[in-house]
Amino acid sequence: MTICLDMMGGDFAPLEAVKGIRDYLTEADDPALLFLVGDEAQINPLLQQHEIPADKVRVFHAPQVIDYNESPTKALKEKQQSSIAVGFHLLASGKAGAFISAGNTGAMLVGAMYSIKPIEGVQRPTISTIIPKDNGNTGLLLDVGLNADCKPEHLNQFALLGSLYAKHILGIDNPRVALLNIGEEEGKGNLLAQGTYPLLKENTQINFVGNVEGRDILLDKADVMVCDGFTGNVILKLAESLYEITHRKEIKHEYLDRFNFELYGGTPVLGVAKPVIIGHGISHAKAFSNMIHLAQKMIATDLLGKMKASFEAK
């Protein structure tokens, strides 16, 4: 098993990525071989400094970096030797089994769409976020920003993708799927919600339990909640701000601690043919380590093979 990591992506790269690799190799029982893409002159001294075993990693030199303010499509075309471009080449060619980056999000999404391509039948890939439930359980919300405008058919596909992720990665047997809406009753909501409800109700591949409202998101009403990316991103950013405020004001509670994004690493692009995981730009070692663990689990469970089979069955 090989996992490719963009060492130059993120505000604290490559140091925090190297620390994350150290933690992952210490924690994993059977670690994957890690392909590290980036500037050798910066990476190699850090690998030695943090005593990373040479047989556990392989460095691929990539002298260019796609900055956050660059146009994703233009940068991927013009910077063929960038860490993101080289990483996608390793993934697309089959040399790596997954690709992780905390770099330019747009470039990661463009690369996932055009270098790797969606699973056949998937109209739009999606990204999700973990939702900590008040009773200690974990939920999933999607889409959270990749698809600001959606059609009912898209949300119906998000429901299936999220359900498979919840089952095979989060370990939730027969996950309950709900539509995020402004009321519990069937027929509520805007045109998108009204058009989506009957599709979810008729979808035999998911366990649809109806509508949930905003006040239900943190309660254990459903395991997978679907919405358009505009709504999902607002919820995600609100949750992030609540965590930052409580952290800054030193309000301590184990439940609030679960809103720390570093615990979950990054978000996979669900619906593309190979594992692609996007990290937060401010990722530290814990986030990088958890992203590698997530990539390993996605490969080990053959999640994308199961997604492909589900869409072939539709």
Side-chain angles (χ1 to χ4, degrees):
M1 186 187 293
T2 55
I3 296 171
C4 182
L5 183 62
D6 171 16
M7 299 299 290
M8 312 310 293
D11 295 349
F12 309 108
L15 176 59
E16 291 298 319
V18 171
K19 289 181 179 178
I21 290 165
R22 175 201 61 199
D23 294 346
Y24 163 75
L25 292 174
T26 302
E27 297 161 357
D29 294 328
D30 185 21
L33 174 64
L34 303 180
F35 287 177
L36 314 182
V37 184
D39 182 2
E40 287 180 333
Q42 295 184 57
I43 297 169
N44 287 332
L46 290 171
L47 294 177
Q48 293 178 359
Q49 181 183 334
H50 291 274
E51 299 180 344
I52 306 299
D55 63 329
K56 301 295 184 183
V57 298
R58 182 178 168 192
V59 178
F60 290 80
H61 183 55
Q64 297 174 310
V65 176
I66 296 177
D67 295 322
Y68 285 108
N69 58 355
E70 291 189 73
S71 165
T73 305
K74 184 180 179 184
L76 278 172
K77 285 181 179 178
E78 296 180 353
K79 291 188 171 180
Q80 294 286 310
Q81 292 303 307
S82 66
S83 53
I84 290 180
V86 173
F88 272 116
H89 174 72
L90 290 169
L91 183 61
S93 64
K95 293 176 182 175
F99 180 42
I100 299 166
S101 176
N104 185 305
T105 301
M108 287 296 291
L109 293 171
V110 170
M113 288 290 288
Y114 296 103
S115 295
I116 307 306
K117 299 188 175 7
I119 292 169
E120 189 172 347
V122 173
Q123 296 177 23
R124 289 192 186 180
T126 180
I127 54 175
S128 62
T129 190
I130 296 293
I131 299 292
K133 300 291 188 174
D134 71 324
N135 65 351
N137 290 343
T138 298
L140 193 72
L141 177 71
L142 67 167
D143 186 280
V144 293
L146 183 51
N147 302 285
D149 295 298
C150 294
K151 295 178 180 178
E153 294 79 12
H154 302 147
L155 267 60
N156 190 33
Q157 291 196 344
F158 298 166
L160 177 54
L161 292 167
S163 186
L164 289 165
Y165 185 82
K167 179 177 181 180
H168 298 290
I169 302 300
L170 302 182
I172 302 171
D173 187 45
N174 196 26
R176 299 160 297 165
V177 178
L179 174 65
L180 187 60
N181 209 330
I182 59 170
E184 291 185 357
E185 304 85 3
E186 185 174 353
K188 285 277 190 174
N190 57 13
L191 292 175
L192 175 61
Q194 291 174 24
T196 302
Y197 193 102
L199 295 182
L200 296 177
K201 190 176 180 180
E202 295 166 7
N203 190 339
T204 58
Q205 292 182 293
I206 62 171
N207 176 21
F208 181 54
V209 295
N211 290 325
V212 290
E213 300 179 71
R215 63 186 176 188
D216 302 321
I217 293 173
L218 303 179
L219 305 180
D220 197 21
K221 295 285 189 74
D223 303 301
V224 177
M225 294 159 285
V226 294
C227 61
D228 61 88
F230 184 94
T231 304
N233 192 262
V234 170
I235 294 168
L236 171 62
K237 297 297 171 60
L238 176 63
E240 286 182 353
S241 71
L242 287 173
Y243 173 74
E244 289 168 6
I245 290 168
T246 56
H247 193 67
R248 192 167 64 244
K249 292 183 178 292
E250 297 184 352
I251 302 171
K252 301 291 186 181
H253 193 279
E254 59 183 15
Y255 175 64
L256 296 173
D257 291 342
R258 295 178 63 212
F259 281 84
N260 181 1
F261 76 90
E262 301 238 8
L263 296 174
Y264 314 107
T267 180
V269 183
L270 301 179
V272 293
K274 295 185 179 184
V276 175
I277 298 172
I278 301 174
H280 207 300
I282 56 172
S283 292
H284 288 87
K286 182 185 288 290
F288 281 106
S289 174
N290 284 328
M291 280 191 278
I292 303 170
H293 280 295
L294 174 57
Q296 183 169 4
K297 194 167 186 180
M298 289 179 72
I299 296 170
T301 59
D302 189 28
L303 175 64
L304 299 187
K306 292 177 171 67
M307 287 180 172
K308 182 180 178 184
S310 292
F311 277 86
E312 287 174 348
K314 291 185 75 174

